[in-house]
Amino acid sequence: MYLALLELKAARGRFLLMGSVVVLVAALVGIVSGFTTGLGDDTVSALRGLHATHVAFAEGTKSDQFARGLIDQRTATGWTKEKDIEATPLGVAITRGTTDRDVEVDLAALGVAPGAFTDPGAEDGHRLDAATPQGVVVSRQLVNDGVRIGDSLTIDRLGIDLKVIGTTGRSSYGHVPVAYMTTDTWRQVRFTTPGAHATSADLPAQYSAMALKAHADLGDKALAEADRRHGTATVPLEDAFAAAPGYKGERLTMTSIQTFLFLIAPLVVGAFFAIWTVQRTPELALLRAMGASRRRLLGHTLAQAAVVVAAGTAVGAALAAAVGLLVGEQVPFSLPASTLTTTMAAVVLVGLAGAALTLRRVTTVDPMTMLGAAR
């Protein structure tokens, strides 16, 4: 280890250059990971916040289930009578609105039953109440856009007036901030046609899906039987994320970028240490001639790789975290400490794996090389 540190000091220029490359790779991996998590949250954070275990869609709907599928009242009532399952109707629709202070916003209208497990409550103001059917609770992003408690929010083209009665935390669907409303109000937003003035009683008693909270001991067989009874297709909540617009494509794109970065890191580190090993072959041969064991030479090489990769990764992690602090909530970026730690640990492992590719040459150095060079 002492000799390894001496070499790091003697050839600090080369190792600093290599360390800089590791820093950039680690920082890029961390930043991509932050955007992957952030984009995912910005697409499905509202679904994650439902506190559901499963979602039941209309049978036969294969894609964009929240937009294309509809659950009728008979099916919804049937699900609420199932044993070992809490079920509540859920409405999802994306629309636009304008406040009485001329603030124009895009919003994802989520229809939930007040008091149900899907009800987000309220951090400020009042929560949803069936006695105030036109009241809505808006997410923090809409507050940042200028929507305030007490505002009157008119849905564009439909003329439906809503009253902002409370606010909740960050919540979005399909990169659009959420406004929570009662299921009756959601039906007005979803089914009212421009120019019409229909009441809730005149609109179809239908919903986008059923949010389910199944007991832990309830198996897939019981859910499948319930699906057959009600004509639905139930999926775990995580699988329902794919029904959000753009979720699958974004995940595939960002995951592909991460994968390529994890492939690049060991190749870059391995190439550096391969060249470094070739350049110091005479020194390794001398150590072997002096009695150094192959195990010691392996430890010597791995110690250098560990110092360079670990130090570079630590600096890269700090840069990625700094980027997260810099962008704040201006862009969909989320890099929790657990995600950052896991990602950087993976970078260290693949970096050391790249260095391990050069170990064979270290162990096969012939001490006669040095003796022959002395002639």
Side-chain angles (χ1 to χ4, degrees):
M1 184 66 184
Y2 177 69
L3 183 59
L5 294 177
L6 285 179
E7 281 194 340
L8 287 173
K9 182 178 180 181
R12 55 183 174 273
R14 297 178 186 179
F15 283 105
L16 282 174
L17 179 61
M18 183 58 210
S20 300
V21 174
V22 175
V23 168
L24 294 177
V25 172
L28 188 55
V29 170
I31 292 170
V32 171
S33 180
F35 279 117
T36 301
T37 305
L39 287 170
D41 289 344
D42 207 45
T43 305
V44 298
S45 60
L47 300 181
R48 286 198 180 105
L50 292 176
H51 305 294
T53 59
H54 297 77
V55 176
F57 294 107
E59 190 175 30
T61 310
K62 301 300 182 182
S63 62
D64 299 330
Q65 291 96 322
F66 286 114
R68 297 181 178 180
L70 288 173
I71 299 289
D72 59 28
Q73 185 62 53
R74 177 173 174 274
T75 301
T77 302
W79 268 111
T80 58
K81 295 179 179 179
E82 288 289 336
K83 295 181 179 179
D84 299 325
I85 299 176
E86 293 182 63
T88 182
L90 174 67
V92 180
I94 295 179
T95 184
R96 292 179 56 86
T98 305
T99 70
D100 52 358
R101 294 183 295 106
D102 294 326
V103 177
E104 298 180 355
V105 292
D106 295 320
L107 57 96
L110 254 70
V112 298
F117 61 85
T118 52
D119 187 346
E123 292 182 354
D124 294 305
H126 301 283
R127 62 188 305 159
L128 293 176
D129 188 346
T132 313
Q134 298 305 106
V136 295
V137 175
V138 299
S139 61
R140 189 188 308 163
Q141 296 98 308
L142 287 174
V143 175
N144 294 339
D145 290 339
V147 179
R148 299 288 182 268
I149 294 176
D151 283 354
S152 178
L153 179 64
T154 302
I155 302 299
D156 291 355
R157 300 185 306 111
L158 303 181
I160 299 174
D161 292 324
L162 307 175
K163 189 73 171 180
V164 180
I165 61 174
T167 66
T168 186
R170 288 183 62 86
S171 182
S172 55
Y173 171 80
H175 303 299
V176 180
V178 167
Y180 294 92
M181 58 192 68
T182 65
T183 50
D184 284 344
T185 302
W186 177 85
R187 287 169 49 231
Q188 287 184 295
V189 173
R190 174 67 172 80
F191 298 114
T192 299
T193 56
H197 298 284
T199 63
S200 297
D202 300 325
L203 299 172
Q206 296 177 323
Y207 313 97
S208 300
M210 291 295 293
L212 310 178
K213 195 172 184 180
H215 291 188
D217 56 350
L218 188 69
D220 293 338
K221 183 178 179 180
L223 287 172
E225 291 175 353
D227 277 334
R228 284 193 293 272
R229 286 193 294 270
H230 305 304
T232 55
T234 298
V235 298
L237 180 63
E238 291 76 12
D239 293 346
F241 295 165
Y247 181 77
K248 291 178 67 175
E250 289 173 356
R251 296 287 293 183
L252 179 61
T253 300
M254 302 306 290
T255 302
S256 298
I257 295 174
Q258 277 187 305
T259 301
F260 277 108
L261 288 173
F262 281 124
L263 292 175
I264 290 170
L267 293 177
V268 172
V269 175
F272 172 81
F273 278 98
I275 296 172
W276 176 244
T277 301
V278 171
Q279 290 178 339
R280 63 194 183 108
T281 296
E283 289 82 356
L284 293 174
L286 176 60
L287 290 173
R288 287 286 291 127
M290 294 174 62
S293 65
R294 289 187 175 88
R295 180 179 297 180
R296 177 163 295 186
L297 293 184
L298 287 176
H300 167 84
T301 303
L302 286 176
Q304 289 180 338
V307 170
V308 173
V309 173
T313 301
V315 177
L319 285 177
V323 169
L325 294 175
L326 181 64
V327 299
E329 296 186 358
Q330 300 175 17
V331 296
F333 187 94
S334 177
L335 193 59
S338 58
T339 302
L340 180 62
T341 302
T342 303
T343 303
M344 293 302 108
V347 172
V348 172
L349 289 176
V350 297
L352 292 178
L357 297 175
T358 66
L359 295 181
R360 183 177 179 278
R361 189 173 184 89
V362 173
T363 59
T364 56
V365 170
D366 187 0
M368 297 302 293
T369 302
M370 194 62 192
L371 297 176
R375 291 183 178 178

